[in-house]
Amino acid sequence: MATWDLRGMKHHVLICNGGTCLRHGGDDVTTAVREEIARLGLDDAVHTTRTRCNGRCQDACVMIVYPQGVWYRQITPERAKEVVRAHLGEGVPMREWATYEYEGELVLTPAGEREAPSGKRKTENGKRNMLRKE
């Protein structure tokens, strides 16, 4: 296992490799992202991490770009390469494929709504779990 010197990194890309995302091409997306980063010479500016589930399975395959906190949905290898070129290379997020963007809090970007298009609030889930334990 390599230990990377992360000084000078401008972006951290989290690529979901949880079960649903893997069934939607997570391995191919991961490979495409890393190959495009190398092809564009961005290795010293962009660090990638394969993650397990990020909790947005209906958006599979999910890719998250920090420090902006842009959550991309339905990423294919082709879309992944475009995100690398535009967002990581040129600094222009691909908002048409974004579900969330961090603006002091996570907000839904495309429609400007405040709630996720589907799913349950974590606080609701936590309350349910707490009630079951009592």
Side-chain angles (χ1 to χ4, degrees):
M1 179 65 69
T3 300
W4 302 107
D5 181 350
L6 299 176
R7 289 176 292 182
M9 290 292 156
K10 295 185 181 356
H11 297 283
H12 187 188
V13 179
L14 306 174
I15 307 157
C16 185
N17 277 226
T20 302
C21 285
L22 283 176
R23 286 190 296 279
H24 285 85
D27 276 333
D28 294 335
V29 168
T30 300
T31 299
V33 167
R34 290 177 173 171
E35 286 176 353
E36 193 68 6
I37 288 168
R39 190 183 75 75
L40 296 174
L42 297 172
D43 285 312
D44 290 334
V46 180
H47 182 68
T48 63
T49 302
R50 288 172 47 138
T51 70
R52 300 310 279 162
C53 181
N54 287 288
R56 295 294 303 165
C57 298
Q58 70 268 28
D59 294 337
C61 181
V62 175
M63 185 168 114
I64 310 162
V65 177
Y66 283 100
Q68 296 84 3
V70 178
W71 288 59
Y72 289 104
R73 69 181 182 283
Q74 299 170 345
I75 296 299
T76 62
E78 296 75 27
R79 282 185 172 188
K81 290 178 185 180
E82 185 61 27
V83 169
V84 171
R85 283 191 296 272
H87 190 154
L88 306 178
E90 300 169 13
V92 180
M94 304 295 295
R95 288 191 170 94
E96 62 269 27
W97 299 330
T99 302
Y100 295 102
E101 183 172 355
Y102 188 77
E103 296 173 7
E105 63 179 288
L106 287 178
V107 296
L108 185 65
T109 307
E113 297 174 16
R114 304 301 278 179
E115 296 294 324
S118 62
K120 54 188 170 186
R121 302 287 298 169
K122 286 185 118 183
T123 53
E124 291 173 16
N125 191 38
K127 287 177 189 172
R128 276 191 214 122
N129 287 341
M130 288 174 45
L131 291 174
R132 281 188 222 152
K133 291 178 185 176
E134 293 176 14

